[in-house]
């Protein structure tokens, strides 16, 4: 089944995400939301805002994207270091919110949204255990941005 996805992200991140999605999801058509917003409506809108975005601006832009592309669900990808509280993230008008997603989590979230579900995966904010620290040193659990840069996609 073909999935038409509208992607809003900074150019380097958008290119990496588009390559990942097109490589891992046969039939996925990724359109750049900043340049290619005309044409048939997308089935999913993916937005990766800048890390420095303020909570009010993020909420307003989510609302605007939801209204513009309805009924397509909005999947919001947040980079680490965004400075937003859990309460602010939970109040966002998006069908999906992923904080520091791995490629696997991103692909699973897209499948869930495609099936009509919702996704909310926030990064762990508590103290880091020895096991988690060892996994991080071994490169397990890299964020999507890190993985895309290291993989060369």
């Amino acid at each position: 089944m073909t999935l038409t996805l509208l992607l809003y992200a900074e150019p380097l991140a958008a290119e990496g995400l588009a390559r990942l999605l097109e490589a891992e999801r046969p039939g996925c058509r990724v359109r750049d939301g900043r340049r290619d917003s005309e044409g048939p409506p997308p089935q999913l809108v993916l937005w990766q805002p800048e890390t420095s975005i303020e909570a009010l601006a993020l909420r307003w832009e989510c609302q605007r994207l939801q209204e513009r592309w309805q009924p397509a669900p909005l999947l919001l990808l947040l980079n680490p270091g965004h400075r937003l509280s859990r309460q602010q993230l939970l109040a966002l008008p998006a069908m999906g919110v992923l904080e520091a997603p791995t490629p696997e989590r991103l692909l699973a979230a897209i499948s869930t949204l495609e099936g009509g579900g919702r996704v909310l995966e926030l990064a762990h904010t508590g103290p880091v255990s020895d096991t988690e620290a060892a996994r991080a040193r071994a490169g397990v659990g890299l964020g999507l941005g890190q993985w895309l840069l290291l993989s060369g996609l």
Side-chain angles (χ1 to χ4, degrees):
M1 183 172 129
T2 302
L3 172 68
T4 303
L5 190 141
L6 192 61
L7 175 60
Y8 291 92
E10 293 183 18
L12 185 59
E15 185 179 327
L17 285 166
R19 284 186 184 177
L20 169 71
L21 294 169
E22 289 168 350
E24 296 294 323
R25 298 260 332 216
C28 182
R29 181 171 175 251
V30 180
R31 295 179 6 215
D32 185 345
R34 297 179 195 268
R35 290 182 283 150
D36 185 21
S37 61
E38 298 301 319
Q43 293 152 315
L44 177 67
V45 178
L46 185 80
W47 180 36
Q48 185 176 30
E50 295 178 12
T51 303
S52 61
I53 194 166
E54 296 296 324
L56 186 59
L58 180 68
R59 184 174 178 76
W60 182 83
E61 190 65 27
C62 282
Q63 185 67 40
R64 190 181 74 75
L65 287 170
Q66 283 282 53
E67 290 171 0
R68 167 70 172 98
W69 297 111
Q70 201 170 35
L74 172 63
L75 176 57
L76 181 64
L77 304 178
L78 295 171
N79 292 317
H82 54 71
R83 301 183 325 246
L84 299 168
S85 72
R86 291 178 81 78
Q87 289 75 22
Q88 290 169 324
L89 295 176
L90 292 172
L92 292 173
M95 292 298 287
V97 177
L98 295 178
E99 190 175 12
T102 63
E104 295 80 18
R105 286 177 50 208
L106 173 62
L107 294 169
I110 289 172
S111 295
T112 300
L113 291 172
E114 214 178 356
R118 294 185 70 148
V119 177
L120 177 65
E121 292 187 25
L122 304 179
H124 179 70
T125 57
V128 177
S129 69
D130 292 337
T131 306
E132 290 171 317
R135 288 179 66 205
R137 284 192 300 272
V140 177
L142 293 175
L144 180 63
Q146 294 170 320
W147 183 87
L148 287 170
L149 287 173
L150 292 174
S151 70
L153 282 178

